[in-house]
Amino acid sequence: MKRSLFVFLSLLLLVSLPLQASSRIDSLRVWPAPDHTRLVFDLSGPVQHRVFMLDNPSRLVIDISNARLNTQFSNSGLESTPISRIRSAVRNQNDLRVVLDLSRNVQPRSFLLRPNEQYGHRLVVDLVMPEQARVQQAPPRETLPREQRRIIVAIDPGHGGEDPGAIGPGGTREKDVVWAISRELARQIDADPAFEAVLTRTGDYYIGLRQRVEVARKARADLFLSIHADAYRSPQPRGSSVYVLSQRGASSESARWLADSENRADLIGGVEGVLTLGDKDETLAGVLVDLSMTATLSESLKAGSRVLRNMGQINRLHKRDVEQAGFLVLKSPDMPSMLIEAGFISNPQEEQRLRDRAYQRQMATQIASAIKDYFRDNPPPNTVLASQNNGSETRYVIQRGDTLSEIARRNGVDIGELRKANNLNNDVIRVGQTLRIPSS
């Protein structure tokens, strides 16, 4: 009797134990880019997986353990990708096998992403096309004599693809706003024969923060602009901002918070990397970077101040001065760089303005005007503007609220040199007065 009762209770216990729940694949999103295609599987929970290639014909196999399909894989939308067809089948009763039929050679990589504010668990599979990447990194451009080259402005629309950036209370996505502003900005820059714009991404896809900088460096850009739309934990903050890199910590708590938020976006790339000076020994590389960064930061502040002042003509400024923080995307020692926050997308009123096409054009116009004015006063050697300037010196007309120390800081010059260049005995200046700015 006791043995029968024991067997009964054991069976009852086994029946009551929950079976291991399988994860669901709820959807698949495909993001084509010039040099890769990204597939994102939305999951109900974490999974284990492996990927491997098969030849004759070329296929990529994705095995996902203890998973079931809860959606339909459509073969539409694959026109700009190396994928000709997507198939799936149950494997070993509990696992799922996904097969991608390929039309060209790819180098696959895969990784898992944890849940964030927008998405749950995700399996990301990238199909990298190395040959295509080389073509995209060297676009044909009209060449000018060396002493007559154009000034190249790299424009970086933040986020993209799998990474929507901040989302406003009305559902406006940061990646859409900054893409519209960046395209218009590039159009206005290209309209001037002395300038040329280079976009770090040319569509709605994600590239890593370091890769954005590499695109600009390979184009030999004279200036790097990363365009964003700010967000904060509460809806009250508003206004436009400009940030440059800080080597000594953030200039404010909000700048530190924003830099941390933007830097976390690189987790979506799934890879780590650093900018290096690979042909130099470690000590020499450190000295070169320090020296170069000092000059680069000075020029970043000068250009950023002009952009900030221009944006203040059409929108409230969040802070009157250029702020500084450790933005990963600004860490290039050989190129002045700034991050422009067009406004707070988390503020309902500012969200409405940011999504307005006319306002986007106005914002692009103010930024373009500031950049052109900066380079007319500070033309790089061997450029069209440098030959037009014929060595004319930089001048600045004092605006309301300016101080001599702030003008010196923005232009990266010593205040004593600024006084000497303008025969000033003290720091008293007046609105409308024109100052000569000595070379920094």
Side-chain angles (χ1 to χ4, degrees):
M1 178 67 180
K2 289 182 179 180
R3 178 176 176 81
S4 299
L5 182 60
F6 174 78
V7 172
F8 173 75
L9 291 174
S10 298
L11 291 172
L12 184 62
L13 180 62
L14 287 172
V15 171
S16 63
L17 285 174
L19 296 174
Q20 184 180 4
S22 62
S23 293
R24 301 186 315 273
I25 298 177
D26 292 324
S27 65
L28 169 64
R29 287 170 286 128
V30 180
W31 302 99
D35 61 349
H36 72 277
T37 292
R38 169 162 291 189
L39 291 85
V40 183
F41 296 87
D42 290 304
L43 309 168
S44 63
V47 297
Q48 292 183 334
H49 76 286
R50 68 172 184 143
V51 299
F52 57 93
M53 296 290 298
L54 294 175
D55 297 324
N56 300 318
S58 180
R59 289 154 289 161
L60 177 68
V61 179
I62 308 167
D63 281 341
I64 307 173
S65 301
N66 197 35
R68 60 187 177 87
L69 194 60
N70 193 39
T71 186
Q72 294 276 328
F73 288 153
S74 172
N75 289 314
S76 61
L78 302 179
E79 295 80 10
S80 301
T81 76
I83 308 168
S84 56
R85 185 172 57 153
I86 303 177
R87 299 177 283 132
S88 65
V90 176
R91 179 174 174 271
N92 299 334
Q93 295 186 332
N94 296 318
D95 304 333
L96 183 69
R97 169 163 287 184
V98 179
V99 180
L100 310 180
D101 294 332
L102 302 173
S103 58
R104 70 185 78 167
N105 292 328
V106 301
Q107 293 178 356
R109 67 173 187 178
S110 64
F111 53 93
L112 296 168
L113 288 175
R114 289 188 294 244
N116 61 14
E117 293 83 355
Q118 282 88 34
Y119 302 110
H121 291 275
R122 285 151 292 162
L123 167 61
V124 179
V125 179
D126 283 340
L127 310 179
V128 181
M129 299 170 283
E131 293 301 319
Q132 194 74 8
R134 281 196 284 272
V135 171
Q136 291 297 326
Q137 288 168 1
R141 295 203 304 263
E142 179 187 355
T143 57
L144 294 169
R146 182 168 177 78
E147 67 277 5
Q148 293 285 299
R149 73 173 182 88
R150 291 182 174 89
I151 293 171
I152 299 174
V153 180
I155 302 169
D156 172 44
H159 307 281
E162 170 68 5
D163 176 18
I167 298 178
T172 306
R173 299 180 300 186
E174 180 182 2
K175 69 172 184 177
D176 297 330
V177 168
V178 300
W179 174 239
I181 294 174
S182 297
R183 278 193 306 174
E184 176 60 22
L185 177 58
R187 187 192 68 77
Q188 294 191 29
I189 292 292
D190 280 333
D192 190 317
F195 291 85
E196 178 180 353
V198 173
L199 286 163
T200 60
R201 65 177 176 93
T202 55
D204 186 16
Y205 53 86
Y206 180 82
I207 59 174
L209 301 181
R210 295 171 179 85
Q211 188 180 351
R212 295 168 189 265
V213 178
E214 282 303 305
V215 170
R217 295 178 78 194
K218 285 173 181 174
R220 291 185 170 86
D222 297 284
L223 183 67
F224 179 86
L225 309 174
S226 191
I227 312 297
H228 291 257
D230 214 342
Y232 200 61
R233 292 165 289 199
S234 63
Q236 286 78 25
R238 58 178 299 181
S240 301
S241 307
V242 173
Y243 296 84
V244 300
L245 182 66
S246 171
Q247 294 176 295
R248 299 182 178 87
S251 56
S252 70
E253 182 59 36
S254 61
R256 182 182 299 107
W257 183 88
L258 179 64
D260 290 344
S261 175
E262 295 294 352
N263 291 344
R264 278 197 301 272
D266 212 26
L267 295 175
I268 292 175
V271 292
E272 293 294 333
V274 293
L275 297 177
T276 62
L277 299 173
D279 59 335
K280 307 291 189 295
D281 68 75
E282 186 175 346
T283 302
L284 176 58
V287 172
L288 290 176
V289 168
D290 284 344
L291 289 173
S292 187
M293 283 303 300
T294 300
T296 299
L297 285 176
S298 173
E299 294 306 308
S300 299
L301 282 165
K302 287 166 64 175
S305 296
R306 295 197 182 217
V307 171
L308 187 66
R309 188 164 62 245
N310 271 29
M311 291 197 301
Q313 296 178 21
I314 63 169
N315 193 28
R316 174 189 297 182
L317 296 180
H318 184 58
K319 293 287 180 68
R320 283 187 54 199
D321 296 324
V322 174
E323 292 217 79
Q324 294 182 256
F327 291 93
L328 185 61
V329 77
L330 302 182
K331 292 186 177 181
S332 177
D334 52 0
M335 177 174 52
S337 307
M338 73 182 77
L339 187 143
I340 299 170
E341 295 285 359
F344 276 84
I345 201 170
S346 51
N347 179 285
Q349 291 76 34
E350 208 149 66
E351 178 192 17
Q352 291 298 318
R353 299 189 74 191
L354 288 169
R355 67 193 301 172
D356 179 70
R357 293 296 176 88
Y359 183 72
Q360 292 168 354
R361 285 193 297 271
Q362 286 181 321
M363 182 62 68
T365 298
Q366 293 300 325
I367 297 171
S369 176
I371 295 307
K372 292 176 184 179
D373 286 345
Y374 164 75
F375 277 117
R376 288 189 184 100
D377 289 341
N378 305 273
N382 307 318
T383 59
V384 174
L385 286 185
S387 63
Q388 290 174 353
N389 269 27
N390 263 339
S392 61
E393 64 188 357
T394 302
R395 294 178 179 270
Y396 175 72
V397 179
I398 295 170
Q399 310 291 318
R400 186 177 301 277
D402 280 341
T403 64
L404 197 66
S405 60
E406 177 59 24
I407 293 170
R409 189 187 72 83
R410 286 200 306 253
N411 288 277
V413 299
D414 179 77
I415 190 170
E417 292 295 323
L418 187 59
R419 291 194 200 100
K420 182 179 178 181
N422 293 277
N423 297 317
L424 298 175
N425 296 321
N426 51 45
D427 293 352
V428 177
I429 54 177
R430 66 181 185 278
V431 175
Q433 179 182 357
T434 300
L435 294 180
R436 298 172 59 211
I437 309 297
S439 298
S440 58

